[in-house]
Amino acid sequence: QLQLAESGGALVQPGGSLRLSCLDRVSDLNYYAVGWFRQAPGKEREGLLCITSTDNTIKYSDSVKDRFTVSRDAAKKTIYLQMNSLKPEDSAKYYCAADETCRRVWVGVTSGSFRSWGPGTQVTVSS
C-alpha cells in the first residue's frame, strides 16, 4: 500500500520557482512510476508529468510546457517537481500518484481507481 506525502508548496510571486517533493512513508518509490497532478478550486484534476521507474519523463499535458520538470533522487527515495516561471494560473493543490508505469498512473487517476492520494501541497502564485 502507498502512503504518499507531498511537500514544498508555498506562496510565491509570479515568475518565481518552487520545488515540490513526493515520498512514500511505506514503499520505496524507486520501484514506481510517479506522476504529478494538480487541482485548482472548481476545476478538474490535471495531469502534468510522470517519471518512469527508469527515470524517463512522460508528459501528460503540454500545459506547463518546459517550465516544469520531474526528477528522482534515488538515495532519498523522493520524486521532485521543479516548477519555474510560475504563473497565477499554476495556483492549485499539487498531488503525486504512483504505479508500475506512467500509463497505469494515468489510467488509475482518470478512472478514479487510484485511491492512495496524499494530502497534497498548496501552491499559490500571487503578487
Side-chain angles (χ1 to χ4, degrees):
Q1 289 294 329
L2 295 169
Q3 293 186 21
L4 295 164
E6 305 88 351
S7 63
L11 171 64
V12 63
Q13 292 189 343
S17 297
L18 278 177
R19 189 178 75 165
L20 307 184
S21 300
C22 169
L23 55 79
D24 192 274
R25 295 188 178 96
V26 177
S27 301
D28 182 349
L29 289 183
N30 288 332
Y31 297 101
Y32 288 82
V34 178
W36 283 97
F37 297 78
R38 68 184 179 186
Q39 189 165 21
K43 294 190 176 181
E44 299 220 343
R45 184 179 289 122
E46 178 186 15
L48 302 174
L49 297 169
C50 182
I51 186 165
T52 69
S53 59
T54 55
D55 291 348
N56 293 311
T57 297
I58 304 295
K59 290 184 180 180
Y60 286 144
S61 79
D62 286 329
S63 64
V64 297
K65 297 282 186 175
D66 295 325
R67 297 186 298 119
F68 291 10
T69 57
V70 60
S71 63
R72 182 193 304 273
D73 184 327
K76 295 182 178 180
K77 303 177 184 179
T78 300
I79 309 302
Y80 299 106
L81 181 68
Q82 178 68 43
M83 306 187 297
N84 299 325
S85 303
L86 284 161
K87 304 175 181 180
E89 52 264 41
D90 294 318
S91 297
K93 187 163 269 193
Y94 285 69
Y95 301 87
C96 56
D99 208 320
E100 289 184 28
T101 67
C102 288
R103 177 174 173 77
R104 287 177 62 96
V105 172
W106 177 260
V107 171
V109 170
T110 56
S111 70
S113 63
F114 182 80
R115 300 293 179 89
S116 301
W117 294 107
T121 188
Q122 180 67 41
V123 172
T124 303
V125 185
S126 175
S127 54

